């Protein structure tokens, strides 16, 4: 209605991860958090809200050194996108 051809809805964290037994461990953990982490973050609700705009979903990738660094990197990203650690911990 405003004449925009495209706009960015941002991401839908952890949605689309493969939780099958042969998937990499981090994918399984992320899929588990997505399925059961509603107490901490409205993963499914956010995805459903954005879905009504018929978005073109695409993957985003994170590169970091070593496997054990990934949880710290993910927490840092969550803090950056939630207005600090308080936004990560509280709704």
């Amino acid at each position: 209605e405003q004449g925009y051809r495209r706009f960015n809805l941002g991401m839908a964290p952890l949605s689309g991860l493969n939780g099958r037994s042969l998937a990499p461990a981090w994918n399984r953990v992320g899929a588990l958090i997505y399925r059961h982490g509603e107490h901490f973050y409205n993963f499914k609700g956010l995805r459903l809200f954005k879905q009504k705009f018929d978005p073109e979903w695409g993957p985003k990738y994170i590169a970091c050194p070593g496997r054990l660094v990934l949880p710290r990197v993910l927490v840092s990203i969550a803090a950056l996108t939630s207005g600090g650690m308080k936004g990560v911990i509280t709704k």
Side-chain angles (χ1 to χ4, degrees):
E1 292 177 16
Q2 301 289 324
Y4 293 99
R5 295 176 70 196
R6 296 182 66 99
F7 64 97
N8 187 343
L9 290 170
M11 298 189 327
L14 303 180
S15 65
L17 289 177
N18 189 338
R20 294 185 306 215
S21 61
L22 295 178
W26 287 115
N27 281 33
R28 293 192 315 265
V29 169
L32 181 72
I33 294 169
Y34 180 79
R35 282 193 311 271
H36 303 288
E38 293 294 313
H39 175 71
F40 302 105
Y41 189 84
N42 191 8
F43 296 107
K44 294 175 187 174
L46 179 63
R47 170 97 183 192
L48 287 172
F49 172 77
K50 291 179 179 186
Q51 189 64 40
K52 67 183 175 183
F53 294 100
D54 194 28
E56 295 176 22
W57 296 108
K60 301 286 185 200
Y61 299 95
I62 299 171
C64 69
R67 294 180 178 179
L68 298 177
V69 178
L70 185 58
R72 186 170 36 138
V73 170
L74 294 175
V75 169
S76 296
I77 291 170
L80 285 170
T81 59
S82 301
M85 285 306 293
K86 184 177 180 184
V88 173
I89 296 169
T90 62
K91 279 190 175 183

